[in-house]
Amino acid sequence: MLLVASTFIGSAYVLSEKAHVSMEWIYDFLSKKNIIKLKIFTSFLSLIFFLILFYFAFLMVEEAFIKNYTTGTVWSPPLWIPYSSMLIGSILMILQYIAEIIKLFDEKDFK
Amino acid sequence: MDPLTIAIIVAVFTLIVLFSGIPIAFGLSFVSITLLVTFEGLQMLGVFAETFYAGLNSFVLLSIPMFILMGMAVAHSPAGKDLYTGLDRWLWRVPGGLVISNIGACSIFAALSGSSPATCAAIGTMGIPEMRKRGYSDEIATGTIAAGGTLGVLIPPSIVLIVYGMATGTSIGRLFLSGIIPGFMLASLFAVWALIHSYFIDKNASKLLRNRKPPTLKEKFEVLPRIFPFLAIIVGVLYVLYGGVATPSEASGVGAFLVFVMIAVVYKIYQPKKIWNIVKISMKESVMIMFIIAASYLFAFTLSQLYVTQSLAQSMIELSSNKWMIFLMVNVFLLVAGFFLPPVAVIVMTSAILLPVITTLGFDPYWFAIVFTINMEIGLITPPVGLNLYIIKGITPDVSLSTILKGSFPFMMMMVLSILILCIFPEIVSWLPDKLMGKPLGY
């Protein structure tokens, strides 16, 4: 549970540090300008994914909150709390990706 | 549409998306969502957030960040240096001794760390400059560390084996035990190549050796107390795991705690700033891995929704009647998958396809886990997503990627050789766990 929370909430920080693994092989064959173009494109793809995740995480939290779901354990905390970590995580990711895209547009080689 | 056609579309689409340089975790999730919507319609999206959540919501997975923390703490102390100067002082007379010391240090470090890039970074930052300074060629210096680092995922604790255990429902303790002997076998195969290399190919290295001042007996014994705490921690964690004291997740916590105590006592690393730095780096690495695991679960879910998993497994069994033929195909498949995806992703995605095939054919799933892991190790030192290659490139920016590849190629051959050995003598894997835990039930 906590693991889910730390992964989702931590992910935006990891993105800002550029520590997510990717295949950067193709960058060797492209010019600087094209690399930035490609990066903007892939950032948009990820942004779309997190927007969708945000929407469905919201639905999950809402449902768990209204219907008062709890985890099936002895402690039995309400489920909307761990679920909302996904919501917060996706909000942070959306913000971070918007920031990344703005940063990419500002880069010197792009202009 | 025929599931096999879908499989080809999925493979091509995934590769195109991943080649664009998008982070692998997000790329996989994006592909899964797109596929779900195109083939199953919008209503399928409702379950996707839950799948994502469920992929990570597991107690077993907790051991991953813990083992990473443990490895990082050791990596950020001068421990790696001590480990291999210690080995070097004892092995100075052997040709290629420094190379062998590095391999040895990698395998000891692998027993403390579950990840391959961490092993690579810890030993490489000290080992590569030292080897180059002493006149070893760039190829052997970088190749050794690239290959030695991969031992991190074979010698327990190992993140790859944890994920395998979780995805297939096999015992993680037993998987760890299975990895020990093959891990040291692979390390000695590497050492054999280092010997051959310095005897027959790189004559320069043995010439350098003769000019070197031999270390005194005092120097030799001086380093021993510094190596000892590591061995104590390794034994401690192993005892906690196999003495029946705790589950792997708890054992990982114990290990991380012991390592923190050790670096505070031995290396005086207790300042909040340094500890914070270690925690930060471990967080980066574990979040990255966890996100890939979550994304791979989503991808595996998509594949099985599209009936790709089931039909692929089916057609694999029908393709040939010879079980070794199928095994060969499975290996080639894993090797190719390992080129493009990080190990944890490959395991989560393919275990549902491969495990039924393997057990139907009468192979031992624990034995298969080890073969699987060695396949993944090869993937770690080949482009385009060879994590170890990037680590080494980071340590020595002036050595080109092709030189590193040339250096690590013979070690890759050693890995292939070890898979062959394991096929001929499967007892290498099963002997130790059978001895300690008894024969597994049902296989």
Side-chain angles (χ1 to χ4, degrees):
Chain A
M1 230 155 53
L2 207 59
L3 199 61
V4 187
S6 53
T7 302
F8 278 101
I9 296 174
S11 184
Y13 168 73
V14 175
L15 177 69
S16 73
E17 299 271 314
K18 301 207 171 22
H20 279 296
V21 185
S22 58
M23 249 190 247
E24 285 165 355
W25 206 34
I26 197 165
Y27 292 167
D28 296 348
F29 309 108
L30 293 175
S31 70
K32 273 220 172 88
K33 193 173 171 182
N34 281 334
I35 289 177
I36 293 174
K37 272 187 193 161
L38 191 62
K39 274 187 181 165
I40 291 174
F41 176 66
T42 56
S43 302
F44 267 115
L45 286 191
S46 312
L47 186 62
I48 293 170
F49 164 68
F50 279 102
L51 284 171
I52 300 172
L53 182 66
F54 168 72
Y55 177 67
F56 285 99
F58 179 74
L59 288 187
M60 253 170 95
V61 173
E62 193 192 26
E63 189 185 346
F65 190 75
I66 293 172
K67 298 187 181 164
N68 233 340
Y69 288 159
T70 55
T71 60
T73 52
V74 182
W75 176 31
S76 191
L79 254 184
W80 65 267
I81 300 174
Y83 279 175
S84 55
S85 67
M86 221 152 80
L87 190 65
I88 298 168
S90 49
I91 294 172
L92 289 175
M93 283 306 283
I94 290 166
L95 292 177
Q96 188 60 41
Y97 257 119
I98 292 172
E100 296 288 322
I101 291 171
I102 293 171
K103 249 189 265 173
L104 283 172
F105 269 115
D106 273 351
E107 225 158 292
K108 259 199 254 96
D109 296 313
F110 187 65
K111 279 164 191 165
Chain B
M1 216 187 293
D2 179 30
L4 283 181
T5 334
I6 297 181
I8 295 167
I9 298 173
V10 170
V12 173
F13 183 48
T14 313
L15 275 184
I16 292 174
V17 171
L18 290 185
F19 261 118
S20 71
I22 193 171
I24 287 172
F26 309 150
L28 285 179
S29 334
F30 184 80
V31 169
S32 334
I33 291 190
T34 322
L35 288 173
L36 274 180
V37 173
T38 11
F39 287 108
E40 306 269 309
L42 276 169
Q43 82 278 3
M44 274 316 288
L45 277 178
V47 289
F48 116 88
E50 251 157 287
T51 314
F52 221 66
Y53 180 87
L56 285 183
N57 192 10
S58 139
F59 184 59
V60 177
L61 278 183
L62 185 64
S63 51
I64 292 176
M66 281 301 166
F67 278 132
I68 288 177
L69 188 61
M70 183 169 150
M72 285 297 170
V74 184
H76 283 82
S77 63
K81 191 174 180 219
D82 280 350
L83 261 182
Y84 101 95
T85 41
L87 283 166
D88 182 41
R89 280 181 194 170
W90 284 87
L91 288 171
W92 70 277
R93 203 188 282 275
V94 188
L98 192 62
V99 178
I100 296 175
S101 317
N102 272 300
I103 294 169
C106 279
S107 44
I108 293 180
F109 189 84
L112 282 166
S113 146
S115 96
S116 163
T119 312
C120 224
I123 306 297
T125 19
M126 258 78 75
I128 294 176
E130 186 70 20
M131 277 193 275
R132 293 173 84 193
K133 204 170 77 194
R134 300 233 194 120
Y136 288 97
S137 63
D138 292 349
E139 283 157 37
I140 191 89
T142 51
T144 311
I145 301 292
T150 63
L151 291 170
V153 291
L154 187 56
I155 298 176
S158 150
I159 290 171
V160 172
L161 289 178
I162 294 172
V163 177
Y164 182 92
M166 202 191 63
T168 61
T170 39
S171 145
I172 290 171
R174 199 182 179 87
L175 285 172
F176 278 5
L177 276 181
S178 310
I180 295 177
I181 298 181
F184 284 103
M185 183 186 82
L186 194 54
S188 25
L189 280 176
F190 288 168
V192 166
W193 168 250
L195 266 179
I196 295 173
H197 184 270
S198 50
Y199 256 122
F200 300 109
I201 300 165
D202 195 359
K203 295 259 168 49
N204 191 22
S206 37
K207 220 181 289 160
L208 282 160
L209 188 79
R210 258 171 254 135
N211 307 333
R212 207 179 137 199
K213 197 168 104 322
T216 60
L217 208 60
K218 184 174 166 263
E219 275 179 331
K220 278 187 181 177
F221 280 98
E222 207 177 49
V223 289
L224 282 187
R226 287 176 168 257
I227 300 177
F228 178 72
F230 293 107
L231 301 178
I233 289 176
I234 295 171
V235 171
V237 172
L238 287 181
Y239 170 73
V240 170
L241 257 179
Y242 306 118
V245 181
T247 61
S249 318
E250 289 152 4
S252 63
V254 172
F257 174 73
L258 284 179
V259 165
F260 269 102
V261 171
M262 186 199 80
I263 59 169
V265 172
V266 181
Y267 299 107
K268 311 262 179 307
I269 297 178
Y270 49 80
Q271 301 89 332
K273 211 174 174 186
K274 281 184 184 162
I275 301 275
W276 174 239
N277 200 24
I278 292 170
V279 173
K280 214 162 73 177
I281 292 169
S282 327
M283 193 197 99
K284 260 195 253 171
E285 172 127 3
S286 29
V287 166
M288 185 265 287
I289 290 180
M290 302 301 295
F291 223 107
I292 289 176
I293 292 176
S296 316
Y297 264 103
L298 187 61
F299 196 81
F301 171 77
T302 312
L303 286 188
S304 99
Q305 277 296 318
L306 300 180
Y307 215 69
V308 170
T309 317
Q310 297 84 335
S311 55
L312 265 186
Q314 190 61 35
S315 56
M316 257 185 185
I317 296 175
E318 281 165 1
L319 240 135
S320 168
S321 54
N322 185 338
K323 73 174 192 174
W324 291 104
M325 208 48 218
I326 299 177
F327 178 71
L328 185 72
M329 275 172 4
V330 168
N331 267 308
V332 172
F333 171 70
L334 285 177
L335 213 55
V336 174
F339 287 161
F340 299 106
L341 291 165
V344 284
V346 178
I347 292 175
V348 174
M349 285 191 233
T350 60
S351 62
I353 305 178
L354 295 181
L355 201 73
V357 177
I358 288 300
T359 44
T360 316
L361 294 174
F363 289 109
D364 176 11
Y366 293 96
W367 170 81
F368 180 64
I370 303 304
V371 174
F372 198 125
T373 311
I374 299 176
N375 270 313
M376 294 298 106
E377 287 185 54
I378 299 176
L380 280 169
I381 51 175
T382 44
V385 266
L387 290 177
N388 286 17
L389 295 179
Y390 293 120
I391 301 273
I392 288 179
K393 199 88 181 68
I395 299 171
T396 55
D398 55 317
V399 178
S400 74
L401 200 63
S402 58
T403 313
I404 305 176
L405 275 177
K406 226 190 275 168
S408 57
F409 184 73
F411 292 105
M412 270 181 239
M413 289 294 106
M414 287 294 169
M415 292 181 195
V416 175
L417 180 65
S418 73
I419 293 180
L420 280 179
I421 295 176
L422 289 181
C423 289
I424 301 168
F425 306 105
E427 292 82 10
I428 297 173
V429 177
S430 57
W431 179 79
L432 188 64
D434 279 356
K435 203 87 185 156
L436 291 177
M437 301 174 87
K439 287 233 180 266
L441 298 170
Y443 297 118

